[in-house]
Amino acid sequence: MIRSATVNDVPEIRAMIRELAAYERAVEQARATEEQLREALFGEHPAAHALIAEDDGTGEAVGYALWFPRFSTWTGTRGMHLEDLYVRPRARGAGHGKALLAALAATCRRNRYDRFEWWVLAWNTPTIDFYKSLGVELLEEWKVCRLSGEPLRELAAQAPDVVNPASDV
């Protein structure tokens, strides 16, 4: 079963985020707290949304997908960015990942989102093969850019005054 996450799922979502980070060899980077996730998913202005995959027999949470809307200046339309898709190892191969992606694709169609995009680590061949089996297009010509930590602070210090900055939204 696939269902929308509730505030009661936050501890399980956080646990699965840490499991995903361990799988991706970056557990030290998974620092989100339950409080931060509660605010991001269920606060006054949610930043993201989540789905939970449950085992049909036990009702146990066996996976999750976390996504947020995005916008394309080229198409002039909204889209979806999938931040995380994770199925616990013991539940893989039972269709939970495909069901989560299908539910997200249906959300895109319902909301008239033109694009559904996400990233995958280049070394994660089993996942890449799974995505390819669904007809996913891998955009090899694009590179992910990230600015964080000290370089982010240094660049921000150079910012001119902005009238009505976006952070006030």
Side-chain angles (χ1 to χ4, degrees), residues 10-155:
V10 168
E12 199 66 34
I13 291 169
R14 182 174 182 274
M16 288 189 282
I17 288 170
R18 299 215 20 103
E19 292 170 27
L20 173 60
Y23 175 75
E24 292 183 350
R25 306 171 190 160
V27 73
E28 70 285 348
Q29 295 176 37
R31 299 183 308 262
T33 65
E34 287 184 23
E35 182 179 320
Q36 288 172 315
L37 292 170
R38 224 177 332 280
E39 178 62 29
L41 296 171
F42 304 103
E44 187 175 341
H45 301 286
H49 309 277
L51 295 177
I52 300 292
E54 288 184 346
D55 180 271
D56 289 335
T58 65
E60 173 193 10
V62 294
Y64 79 102
L66 195 142
W67 67 276
F68 54 87
R70 57 185 303 166
F71 179 78
S72 169
T73 59
W74 287 24
T75 65
T77 59
R78 289 181 182 248
M80 176 183 287
H81 177 80
L82 175 60
E83 180 67 14
D84 290 348
L85 175 71
Y86 178 72
V87 175
R88 288 182 158 142
R90 66 185 172 278
R92 292 182 187 155
H96 301 293
K98 185 175 183 179
L100 283 164
L101 287 171
L104 292 171
T107 299
C108 286
R109 299 283 296 161
R110 201 169 39 254
N111 292 315
R112 297 188 189 135
Y113 294 169
D114 282 350
R115 294 181 178 171
F116 178 16
E117 298 175 327
W118 62 93
W119 303 334
V120 61
L121 290 166
W123 59 260
N124 195 346
T125 331
T127 301
I128 291 170
D129 291 344
F130 166 62
Y131 292 154
K132 284 181 178 177
S133 78
L134 299 175
V136 168
E137 175 187 10
L138 296 175
L139 303 176
E140 303 291 339
E141 68 275 14
W142 291 89
K143 297 285 184 187
V144 175
C145 299
R146 177 178 292 156
L147 188 61
S148 62
E150 189 55 34
L152 176 64
R153 284 187 286 280
E154 288 175 10
L155 185 58

